[in-house]
Short mmCIF file of all heavy atoms in Angstrom, two decimals:
data_model
loop_
_atom_site.label_atom_id
_atom_site.label_comp_id
_atom_site.label_asym_id
_atom_site.label_seq_id
_atom_site.Cartn_x
_atom_site.Cartn_y
_atom_site.Cartn_z
N GLU R 29 79.44 111.53 5.19
CA GLU R 29 80.61 110.75 4.75
C GLU R 29 81.03 111.13 3.33
O GLU R 29 82.22 111.25 3.05
CB GLU R 29 80.31 109.25 4.83
CG GLU R 29 80.19 108.76 6.25
CD GLU R 29 79.75 107.31 6.34
OE1 GLU R 29 79.41 106.70 5.29
OE2 GLU R 29 79.71 106.80 7.47
N HIS R 30 80.06 111.32 2.43
CA HIS R 30 80.40 111.72 1.05
C HIS R 30 81.11 113.07 1.04
O HIS R 30 81.97 113.31 0.20
CB HIS R 30 79.14 111.80 0.19
CG HIS R 30 78.60 110.48 -0.24
ND1 HIS R 30 79.27 109.62 -1.06
CD2 HIS R 30 77.41 109.86 0.04
CE1 HIS R 30 78.55 108.54 -1.28
NE2 HIS R 30 77.42 108.66 -0.61
N ASN R 31 80.75 113.94 1.94
CA ASN R 31 81.33 115.29 1.96
C ASN R 31 82.62 115.39 2.76
O ASN R 31 83.32 116.40 2.64
CB ASN R 31 80.31 116.29 2.51
CG ASN R 31 79.29 116.68 1.48
OD1 ASN R 31 79.60 116.81 0.30
ND2 ASN R 31 78.05 116.84 1.90
N THR R 32 82.98 114.38 3.56
CA THR R 32 84.14 114.54 4.44
C THR R 32 85.18 113.44 4.37
O THR R 32 86.24 113.59 4.96
CB THR R 32 83.67 114.64 5.91
OG1 THR R 32 82.98 113.44 6.27
CG2 THR R 32 82.78 115.84 6.13
N THR R 33 84.93 112.36 3.67
CA THR R 33 85.89 111.25 3.66
C THR R 33 87.24 111.69 3.11
O THR R 33 87.32 112.55 2.23
CB THR R 33 85.35 110.04 2.88
OG1 THR R 33 86.27 108.96 3.03
CG2 THR R 33 85.21 110.34 1.40
N ASP R 34 88.30 111.11 3.65
CA ASP R 34 89.66 111.42 3.19
C ASP R 34 90.07 110.62 1.97
O ASP R 34 91.08 110.92 1.34
CB ASP R 34 90.66 111.17 4.32
CG ASP R 34 90.50 112.16 5.46
OD1 ASP R 34 90.02 113.28 5.22
OD2 ASP R 34 90.85 111.79 6.60
N PHE R 35 89.30 109.60 1.62
CA PHE R 35 89.63 108.75 0.48
C PHE R 35 89.23 109.44 -0.82
O PHE R 35 88.28 110.22 -0.86
CB PHE R 35 88.91 107.40 0.58
CG PHE R 35 89.29 106.63 1.81
CD1 PHE R 35 88.38 106.49 2.86
CD2 PHE R 35 90.55 106.07 1.94
CE1 PHE R 35 88.72 105.78 3.99
CE2 PHE R 35 90.90 105.36 3.07
CZ PHE R 35 89.98 105.22 4.10
N ILE R 36 89.95 109.15 -1.89
CA ILE R 36 89.61 109.69 -3.20
C ILE R 36 88.59 108.74 -3.84
O ILE R 36 88.90 107.59 -4.13
CB ILE R 36 90.86 109.85 -4.09
CG1 ILE R 36 91.79 110.87 -3.47
CG2 ILE R 36 90.45 110.25 -5.50
CD1 ILE R 36 93.10 111.04 -4.18
N THR R 37 87.39 109.25 -4.00
CA THR R 37 86.30 108.48 -4.58
C THR R 37 85.60 109.33 -5.63
O THR R 37 85.93 110.51 -5.80
CB THR R 37 85.27 108.11 -3.49
OG1 THR R 37 84.71 109.32 -2.97
CG2 THR R 37 85.91 107.31 -2.36
N TYR R 38 84.63 108.74 -6.30
CA TYR R 38 83.86 109.51 -7.28
C TYR R 38 83.24 110.72 -6.62
O TYR R 38 83.31 111.83 -7.15
CB TYR R 38 82.76 108.63 -7.90
CG TYR R 38 81.85 109.40 -8.81
CD1 TYR R 38 82.21 109.69 -10.12
CD2 TYR R 38 80.62 109.89 -8.35
CE1 TYR R 38 81.38 110.42 -10.96
CE2 TYR R 38 79.78 110.63 -9.18
CZ TYR R 38 80.16 110.89 -10.47
OH TYR R 38 79.35 111.62 -11.29
N THR R 39 82.63 110.54 -5.46
CA THR R 39 81.94 111.66 -4.83
C THR R 39 82.89 112.70 -4.25
O THR R 39 82.53 113.86 -4.14
CB THR R 39 80.96 111.18 -3.73
OG1 THR R 39 81.68 110.45 -2.74
CG2 THR R 39 79.85 110.34 -4.32
N SER R 40 84.11 112.31 -3.92
CA SER R 40 85.05 113.28 -3.36
C SER R 40 85.49 114.32 -4.40
O SER R 40 85.89 115.42 -4.05
CB SER R 40 86.28 112.58 -2.77
OG SER R 40 87.08 112.01 -3.78
N LYS R 41 85.38 113.98 -5.67
CA LYS R 41 85.81 114.88 -6.74
C LYS R 41 84.84 116.03 -6.99
O LYS R 41 85.21 117.03 -7.59
CB LYS R 41 85.97 114.10 -8.04
CG LYS R 41 87.01 113.01 -7.98
CD LYS R 41 86.96 112.18 -9.25
CE LYS R 41 87.71 110.89 -9.05
NZ LYS R 41 87.48 109.97 -10.17
N TYR R 42 83.60 115.86 -6.57
CA TYR R 42 82.55 116.83 -6.90
C TYR R 42 81.89 117.45 -5.67
O TYR R 42 80.75 117.86 -5.71
CB TYR R 42 81.49 116.16 -7.78
CG TYR R 42 82.06 115.59 -9.03
CD1 TYR R 42 82.24 114.22 -9.18
CD2 TYR R 42 82.47 116.42 -10.07
CE1 TYR R 42 82.78 113.68 -10.34
CE2 TYR R 42 83.02 115.90 -11.23
CZ TYR R 42 83.17 114.53 -11.35
OH TYR R 42 83.71 114.03 -12.50
N ARG R 43 82.62 117.54 -4.57
CA ARG R 43 82.09 118.11 -3.34
C ARG R 43 81.84 119.61 -3.50
O ARG R 43 82.52 120.24 -4.30
CB ARG R 43 83.09 117.91 -2.20
CG ARG R 43 83.19 116.52 -1.77
CD ARG R 43 84.18 116.44 -0.64
NE ARG R 43 84.43 115.05 -0.30
CZ ARG R 43 85.52 114.60 0.24
NH1 ARG R 43 86.50 115.41 0.53
NH2 ARG R 43 85.64 113.33 0.52
#
Side-chain angles (χ1 to χ4, degrees):
E29 290 174 354
H30 284 295
N31 281 323
T32 61
T33 186
D34 291 334
F35 300 108
I36 296 175
T37 63
Y38 174 81
T39 59
S40 69
K41 299 172 195 170
Y42 302 105
R43 289 181 187 153

